[in-house]
Amino acid sequence: RQEDPPRPFLLHSYLKSADEEVRFLQKCSQVLVYCLLPSKDVQSVSLRIVLAEILATKVLKPVVELLSDPDYINRMLLSQLEYREQMNEHQKKDYTYAPSYEEFIKLINSSSDVEFLKRLRSSLWDSG
């Protein structure tokens, strides 16, 4: 509908600049360190600060950058689609080439893969 003006895409305040993002990751890492450290180690302020800073800058920030990289997202999507396609082809071959009804039933009875059995049922309902 063209009469509706486009709505602005609102970003969280921590995503408006790289510095704000780092501050947010530092706060998250401080909470994680506080929750995950044993109680005797939590008492050491310097240890908490050092661990939180390492966690924020050397773990969380690189992970966020990797997971938000469009190229990485596309590669993971393609990889998942290719894997599913390979699995579907493998499963189709299993039951398409069953030489007889008895072999087909044996294939079903011997399978422990629930996803394969669901796809098989679905393909039988679609073809029938």
Side-chain angles (χ1 to χ4, degrees):
R1 299 183 305 214
Q2 292 182 354
E3 63 265 2
D4 292 342
R7 290 182 287 165
F9 185 76
L10 300 176
L11 288 176
H12 194 282
S13 63
Y14 292 120
L15 297 175
K16 291 186 179 180
S17 73
D19 291 338
E20 289 295 319
E21 182 180 358
V22 169
R23 274 192 221 100
F24 177 73
L25 293 175
Q26 287 170 334
K27 288 180 183 181
C28 290
S29 64
Q30 289 169 1
V31 171
L32 284 171
V33 166
Y34 191 79
C35 292
L36 297 176
L37 276 180
S39 58
K40 66 179 177 83
D41 294 332
V42 169
Q43 303 305 318
S44 172
V45 175
S46 59
L47 178 64
R48 282 196 330 249
I49 291 172
V50 168
L51 287 177
E53 192 63 26
I54 291 171
L55 183 62
T57 58
K58 298 299 181 186
V59 178
L60 294 179
K61 187 165 177 26
V63 167
V64 168
E65 288 174 353
L66 175 70
L67 294 177
S68 61
D69 179 28
D71 186 48
Y72 176 79
I73 295 169
N74 286 335
R75 282 188 280 124
M76 291 299 105
L77 286 172
L78 285 174
S79 173
Q80 184 64 27
L81 290 171
E82 288 170 356
Y83 172 76
R84 287 185 177 194
E85 188 176 308
Q86 288 174 354
M87 292 304 297
N88 284 336
E89 287 300 317
H90 175 69
Q91 302 299 340
K92 282 181 186 178
K93 288 179 184 176
D94 282 348
Y95 68 83
T96 302
Y97 297 117
S100 66
Y101 175 77
E102 290 78 19
E103 293 294 322
F104 185 72
I105 297 300
K106 284 181 188 176
L107 177 69
I108 293 172
N109 289 335
S110 65
S111 179
S112 60
D113 184 4
V114 175
E115 290 303 314
F116 164 67
L117 294 171
K118 285 180 181 178
R119 283 193 300 272
L120 181 60
R121 180 184 64 189
S122 175
S123 68
L124 290 174
W125 282 107
D126 292 341
S127 65

